[in-house]
Amino acid sequence: MTDVTIRNVTKRYGALTVIPQLSFKIEDGEFVVLVGPSGCGKSTLLRMLAGLEEISGGDLLMGTEVINERPAKERDMAIVFQNYALYPHMTVAENMGFALKLRKRPRAEIDERVDKAAAILGLGKLLDRYPRALSGGQRQRVAMGRAIVRDPQVFLFDEPLSNLDAKLRVQMRAEIKALHQRLKITTVYVTHDQIEAMTMADKIVVMNEGRVEQMGTPLELYDRPANIFVAGFIGSPSMNFLPATVTTASSPVLKTPEGVELPIDAPQGLAGRAEVTYGIRPEHLQLGESGIPAEVVVVEPTGSETQLYVTVGGREVVAVLRDRVDVRPGQQIWLTPKAGCAHLFDPATGARITG
Amino acid sequence: MAISSRTNRTTRKLLWTLFWCVLAFVYLFPYTWMVLTGFRHGVDTISMPPRFIFEPTLAGFRHLFEVTGFQKYIINSAVVTILSVVLVIGVSAPAAYALAQISKRGGALLVAILVARIIPGIAIGVPVYLLATRLHQLDTYQALVIINVAVNIPFAIWLMRSFFMEVHPTLREAAISDGCSEWQVFTKIMLPLVLGGMLATSVFVFIAVWNEFLFALILTTSVSPTAPLAMLGFRTQYGVQWDAVGAAAFLVSTPVIVFAFIMQRYLVQGLTMGSVK
Ligand SMILES: Nc1ncnc2c1ncn2[C@@H]1O[C@H](COP(=O)(O)OP(=O)(O)OP(=O)(O)O)[C@@H](O)[C@H]1O
Ligand SMILES: [Mg+2]
């Protein structure tokens, strides 16, 4: 077990800079989830950690030791790939025991550790099967088993659940989380899935174009996104954004370019600003008697909630309501933002305006 | 309606069958004729009109082994071919793996390698002969083996590279992360997965070396001539000894056919690239 530090790491492929400069720390035993749009360098970072890809600059540390030059086999990190990468010519047991066999561990020890991991993952009956005779979920388990058997310092997961169907994904998500709570092994987990990120992470790192946009606990990112990018990335459906101009009479007033007034409760940080971006999450909008005037476009009841697609001064806005509502397309309604839930951003830099 | 579509299908089937029969005849007739020639008296072979019924004889084979000493040629061919195949595969497999999975610029190098293959053998015949003379390697096994290996490596690398490229690169990465050295990745992961392709490649190399004529002609005289050269001796001042030619051709072609037949499964598997998944 160890902590891992990424310090000013850069990565270039020839003239293409994939990671301009990246720094953050993964604490011992922590479950860190990396999220970010496709192509932002998540897999590249994971592969650099594993030692499968060279870093172009900066330092990687395990504990206090710089491991830039340490070959993959000595890093003691186990990586689980999206496509599982099981060895097709080996049985499940051989797949799982392969790393130990390479380290010339005694037969009895290998068997014992494979059996133990197989029991944890419910693979006991499948040990003599070949990967081609397994279902997707079973293959995924074997890939995890192969990592667990090694008892590594660090687990690296690259979208391990993305090839599974929705139901299995939920189940495996819970299992991985339970496994982490049991083994307490430092874990870096890459995913595209919002819910995976929110439910599994001790800490989420939001990446974009090879940079860290924000880092923090899931709820920190949800409650106080540092910029428009993070605000739009975390949460589903995404946060609504409306451009607004600030006019100050006795107190500041926000209006969209179409002249719709947007209610704000704590007008700090607006002094001296002419333009802001107003952000509000769909789930923080409620039907009310006052607030933001909107016209209903589409109503989508999903049973547990209702998604309302509306326009505010011609701009599309989504609201998610917990209650069944009786509105129909074309109707004029009022959407009331939940108190203290509006976010204000600087439209030029995208940064959050404190308040 | 149903009836007409059924007759349609029957005619189609009939036409295809006919087509394959014709094709089979075109391919098999010359070979069959050649084999028959080996079991016929020379006189029967050149008689006009050709005789399909004749009195079989082993005279051609007897001549081959008692007069020509054909066993020596066959042994030479076997030695040269087996050594060459082993060496070609031994060198090409790791190279193909490296070009497919490790090196990022493999493509360019491969083109360079393949260019070497395009040069016709006759163009390098004289330099090769001179080299062999200077190095006192004329009429030796090693000279023939080396030139055969050199000529066949580009093709073998190129073919095997396609098999290695079929293996998903994350397999190599998983193995490295599990603790494999590059060589262990090659032997423990890659080789078992591309075995079919490797066997297919060795069939092709086997056939190429076994049939090789030009360099055998240039580089050998009495000690290490290979089987194809034996044929030359049957064109005498009294005419061609057709029975011996037929017998020799039969004996030379048999190992190739048998080998290809045994490897048939791998050939198809290898060439359809379905060998890994
Ligand atoms: N070998 C390579 N040569 C050149 N560019 C590469 C190479 N590998 C990755 N890249 C580039 O690096 C960038 C980051 O790739 P990476 O695979 O890390 O993205 P990612 O965040 O994992 O995306 P995804 O979510 O789609 O998996 C991409 O723009 C990609 O095109
Ligand atoms: Mg990726």
Side-chain angles (χ1 to χ4, degrees), chain A residues 47 83 86-87 89 103 150, chain B residues 168 170 173 175 177-178 188:
Chain A
R47 291 155 43 78
N83 68 352
L86 302 180
Y87 311 124
H89 58 299
R103 285 174 181 72
R150 283 175 53 187
Chain B
H168 200 283
T170 52
E173 299 187 331
S177 178
D178 265 351
K188 289 180 192 292

Side-chain angles (χ1 to χ4, degrees), chain A residues 76-132:
Chain A
D76 206 10
M77 300 192 185
I79 183 163
V80 176
F81 295 95
Q82 179 177 5
N83 68 352
Y84 316 138
L86 302 180
Y87 311 124
H89 58 299
M90 297 185 196
T91 63
V92 168
E94 286 165 348
N95 262 284
M96 288 173 41
F98 185 60
L100 298 179
K101 204 169 146 204
L102 285 171
R103 285 174 181 72
K104 305 233 162 31
R105 309 313 294 244
R107 183 80 236 172
E109 185 197 329
I110 298 178
D111 287 346
E112 191 200 316
R113 283 167 72 172
V114 168
D115 284 344
K116 209 171 125 206
I120 293 177
L121 293 164
L123 289 170
K125 292 206 183 75
L126 305 176
L127 284 176
D128 294 324
R129 294 244 195 119
Y130 284 91
R132 63 175 170 275

